[in-house]
Amino acid sequence: AEVDPAATAIEGLDAYRVTLIDGVFAPAWSALPESVTIKPLAALIEDTPNDVVPLLQFDADAPLASGFVAANSALARDGVAICVPANTRLDRPIYIHYIHRGGAAHLRCGVSIGHHAEVELIEHFTGDHAEVGLSNHVTTIRMDEGSRCTHYRLQMEAAKQMHVGRVEVVEQAHADYTLHAVELGGMVSRSDIVIDLANAAASCALNGLFVLTGRQHADHHTMVQHQAPHCRSRENYRTVLDGRAHGVFNGKIIVAEGAAKTDSAQSNANLLLSNNAEIDTKPELEIYHDDVKCAHGATVGQLDQDQLFYLKSRGISADEAKQMLTFAFADALLAEMGNATVRRFIEHNAFAKLPNLQGMEALLT
């Protein structure tokens, strides 16, 4: 059947585009600037199979290694390899649009960011079908010294789709990586984020928002490895759960021996809108060096009754008060997004899922 990528794409986004449909690269819907090279994984396997070995090699001892990663290494038949040359600063983001229509798809995406290059990367996982399916994605990002990457990962799969994702980032000295991970779709999803701060003064910021309803399940695991001195990491994850939704957050920060002057902080806040919603949260620290600054924390709760009472005492209805407090809880994280078009798109789609927030259009303009 004919596919219209515009039907599920981010409306009004000005970006360079890479489109994959049912796991296959679609060049007709893809366009990158001349300075950036792109190669479909299928073509790499056909033309230069020896070059593909490092990209597809499975390491059973790697952090958060799993059978899904092994399956991806064995079964990935397409994806893309993107190379951003040194000292390149793109005027628009690179928008990678994955469209699934059921069945199973195993894809691998590799991004190389050169010395002092800057790139904004948007990965958008979508589907508009009633079929059961599996999408298994691995994205590897290699950042040279002084490079910068802002990465949006938007999981908005179809209602019966199962999504398994993994992001691996290796940063050299003074590199800076920022992730905005959003989980809205799918029946069951799992995402693993592995950050290797491999050289001095590298930094990362991981921001995540899950909005789950019905019987959705989202499982999110992060591992930040401080391997060198003077590295900095920040994690801020927020979850809004309604119905019988179930969320899992497990964040681990490892400070290796010799990683002096590490500065790391981790926070996970969870809002339960239903008595049947459930969250499992486990922030962790492993510290093998002195002279570091590390902190972590997690909160789980419902809407604050005192705040609800205050708003109602000012003439605001109970429903409107719930809307305002829920909106403020989630939007505090979305406000960190620098791309206004992506932020508005996520706000509309996230809050449209929640029955008590469908009338929030005035706040979204």
Side-chain angles (χ1 to χ4, degrees):
E2 192 70 23
V3 177
D4 180 12
T8 54
I10 300 175
E11 186 177 357
L13 180 66
D14 183 19
Y16 301 108
R17 296 177 181 267
V18 178
T19 303
L20 296 104
I21 301 173
D22 292 334
V24 179
F25 176 63
W29 296 97
S30 305
L32 286 177
E34 293 183 1
S35 61
V36 175
T37 58
I38 179 173
K39 188 84 170 181
L41 181 62
L44 284 173
I45 294 173
E46 180 71 22
D47 299 337
T48 55
N50 291 336
D51 294 342
V52 182
V53 172
L55 182 61
L56 295 179
Q57 197 165 23
F58 173 66
D59 181 3
D61 297 323
L64 301 180
S66 69
F68 283 105
V69 181
N72 184 282
S73 296
L75 301 175
R77 62 190 180 96
D78 212 347
V80 290
I82 298 173
C83 180
V84 182
N87 302 308
T88 300
R89 184 173 183 178
L90 299 180
D91 58 337
R92 287 180 281 169
I94 296 176
Y95 176 46
I96 306 178
H97 189 188
Y98 304 96
I99 303 172
H100 299 121
R101 297 179 294 178
H106 303 268
L107 290 96
R108 185 160 293 218
C109 177
V111 181
S112 174
I113 305 173
H115 182 87
H116 290 290
E118 296 185 22
V119 63
E120 183 176 322
L121 179 68
I122 303 169
E123 288 192 294
H124 188 196
F125 304 88
T126 69
D128 184 15
H129 59 85
E131 306 297 322
V132 175
L134 167 67
S135 47
N136 183 4
H137 291 259
V138 174
T139 299
T140 61
I141 301 175
R142 299 294 179 262
M143 302 179 62
D144 285 348
E145 182 179 351
S147 61
R148 299 174 63 87
C149 177
T150 300
H151 183 194
Y152 294 85
R153 192 179 191 280
L154 316 178
Q155 192 276 105
M156 300 173 63
E157 300 270 22
K160 294 185 179 180
Q161 188 83 1
M162 291 176 283
H163 177 90
V164 181
R166 179 181 177 90
V167 176
E168 303 174 359
V169 182
V170 178
E171 300 183 47
Q172 300 305 321
H174 299 281
D176 182 37
Y177 172 79
T178 299
L179 171 69
H180 299 285
V182 178
E183 298 278 345
L184 300 181
M187 177 175 60
V188 177
S189 67
R190 163 147 181 163
S191 296
D192 294 340
I193 312 296
V194 181
I195 311 296
D196 186 358
L197 303 177
N199 225 314
S203 61
C204 70
L206 310 182
N207 304 303
L209 175 66
F210 309 163
V211 179
L212 308 177
T213 61
R215 292 182 175 272
Q216 283 185 287
H217 175 97
D219 206 329
H220 208 85
H221 296 249
T222 69
M223 180 178 290
V224 178
Q225 302 175 97
H226 287 259
Q227 308 276 19
H230 298 281
C231 291
R232 183 179 188 272
S233 67
R234 293 290 184 268
E235 290 187 60
N236 185 9
Y237 280 79
R238 294 198 170 201
T239 303
V240 180
L241 303 176
D242 202 1
R244 294 182 175 274
H246 184 199
V248 176
F249 173 76
N250 179 207
K252 178 179 284 190
I253 297 170
I254 300 175
V255 180
E257 186 175 350
K261 303 297 182 181
T262 288
D263 181 2
S264 181
Q266 181 187 81
S267 173
N268 177 224
N270 304 279
L271 178 61
L272 306 182
L273 300 179
S274 164
N275 292 330
N276 295 314
E278 182 180 353
I279 181 72
D280 299 313
T281 177
K282 186 184 179 185
E284 298 180 71
L285 291 174
E286 288 187 15
I287 302 173
Y288 299 98
H289 193 91
D290 295 330
D291 194 18
V292 300
K293 182 170 66 174
C294 298
H296 65 170
T299 60
V300 180
Q302 297 178 320
L303 292 174
D304 190 300
Q305 294 301 313
D306 290 339
Q307 293 177 349
L308 286 171
F309 176 79
Y310 174 83
L311 292 173
K312 289 189 288 184
S313 70
R314 295 300 185 267
I316 299 172
S317 70
D319 285 343
E320 289 176 327
K322 291 178 181 178
Q323 292 172 1
M324 293 174 68
L325 292 176
T326 306
F327 179 91
F329 174 83
D331 209 53
L333 191 141
L334 293 177
E336 299 295 320
M337 293 183 174
N339 190 310
T341 302
V342 174
R343 175 185 170 182
R344 287 194 298 269
F345 178 78
I346 293 302
E347 285 175 337
H348 280 281
N349 284 275
F351 299 131
K353 291 188 62 177
L354 300 172
N356 66 328
L357 285 176
Q358 292 178 358
M360 297 295 287
E361 293 300 315
L363 291 178
L364 298 177
T365 57

